[in-house]
Amino acid sequence: AQSVTQPDIHITVSEGASLELRCNYSYGATPYLFWYVQSPGQGLQLLLKYFSGDTLVQGIKGFEAEFKRSQSSFNLRKPSVHWSDAAEYFCAVGANNNDMRFGAGTRLTVKP
Amino acid sequence: DAGITQSPRYKITETGRQVTLMCHQTWSHSYMFWYRQDLGHGLRLIYYSAAADITDKGEVPDGYVVSRSKTENFPLTLESATRSQTSVYFCASSSSGYEQYFGPGTRLTVT
């Protein structure tokens, strides 16, 4: 069965610093990969997705992610973090609509 | 444009009571989903629906019932609530693609 691992439960970065959130997946074929963000008290918002093609995908809010098949990873990056980026981030993997698996999430704290 | 809404946003109920959580979407998406979110587990799929009158179990369906008589609505019922069902519940919808759009969630406490 497919699974998703987000190794970092909590990350703290300074405002303006770069960010990388890790995501590793286990799946037999190339899955569809997603990153979602959840602000406190809110639902999840899709940041970006990878289906196929270019392994570097751009998303909203200045985020990007890179699919690395050899490492089974789909890490999320942002070159300069803003205070408003403080939230919980979820990586998800899916082969189809009814079998999406989410990671446990990484909580991002931004220091002023 | 309301998108996807959930009601109630907060609910406290007692063990053994029946509770229904509502989900409504205005996009006419075919697919709808119910997830629960618990600390350390991320989101786990309870039930999903590919179209009206078509539903199927997800990863953690025990203790829950769903129906989908209309495309836009997908209620989730806890027939006899237990403390282990205390959680935040999210509804989501999707067109034929793989991107899911989430509602704001319902925080349910079972005492």
Side-chain angles (χ1 to χ4, degrees):
Chain A
Q2 59 207 43
S3 64
V4 182
T5 302
Q6 293 180 247
D8 305 303
I9 295 173
H10 183 206
I11 283 182
T12 299
V13 300
S14 299
E15 189 166 17
S18 63
L19 171 70
E20 183 168 20
L21 302 181
R22 295 183 292 164
C23 173
N24 295 99
Y25 68 89
S26 172
Y27 189 65
T30 300
Y32 300 125
L33 297 159
F34 308 83
W35 275 101
Y36 286 86
V37 60
Q38 183 181 30
S39 298
Q42 303 295 315
L44 278 70
Q45 181 184 19
L46 181 67
L47 281 176
L48 48 79
K49 59 185 183 289
Y50 173 78
F51 289 172
S52 64
D54 192 345
T55 56
L56 184 63
V57 294
Q58 303 297 320
I60 63 171
K61 305 185 180 187
F63 285 92
E64 66 178 27
E66 185 171 13
F67 169 58
K68 292 186 177 180
R69 185 192 306 273
S70 61
Q71 299 176 18
S72 297
S73 68
F74 189 57
N75 294 349
L76 182 72
R77 301 194 294 249
K78 186 169 186 178
S80 178
V81 170
H82 187 262
W83 64 267
S84 61
D85 293 323
E88 186 120 20
Y89 292 80
F90 292 93
C91 182
V93 57
N96 51 54
N97 249 340
N98 59 6
D99 198 13
M100 288 275 284
R101 298 297 172 107
F102 287 79
T106 297
R107 183 161 62 93
L108 173 65
T109 298
V110 180
K111 291 191 302 184
Chain B
D1 183 4
I4 183 165
T5 57
Q6 294 183 235
S7 62
R9 294 292 313 277
Y10 303 90
K11 177 73 176 179
I12 299 174
T13 191
E14 295 177 343
T15 300
R17 298 251 185 184
Q18 182 179 84
V19 177
T20 296
L21 309 183
M22 304 301 294
C23 179
H24 176 80
Q25 52 106 355
T26 60
W27 295 308
S28 299
H29 282 168
S30 297
Y31 292 88
M32 295 188 75
F33 308 83
W34 274 107
Y35 292 90
R36 60 178 290 172
Q37 184 179 33
D38 304 290
L39 198 62
H41 288 278
L43 275 76
R44 291 180 291 176
L45 182 64
I46 303 170
Y47 269 96
Y48 68 95
S49 169
D53 297 321
I54 301 175
T55 62
D56 209 343
K57 297 177 181 179
E59 184 182 358
V60 289
D62 293 343
Y64 303 95
V65 175
V66 294
S67 62
R68 195 164 176 210
S69 58
K70 293 184 178 181
T71 299
E72 61 266 30
N73 297 324
F74 191 39
L76 175 74
T77 298
L78 289 66
E79 293 190 302
S80 179
T82 65
R83 289 203 177 99
S84 65
Q85 292 178 309
T86 292
S87 187
V88 181
Y89 291 86
F90 287 100
C91 179
S93 72
S94 175
S95 62
S96 58
Y98 298 84
E99 303 169 35
Q100 297 184 17
Y101 297 89
F102 286 80
T106 294
R107 183 175 294 277
L108 176 67
T109 301
V110 182
T111 62

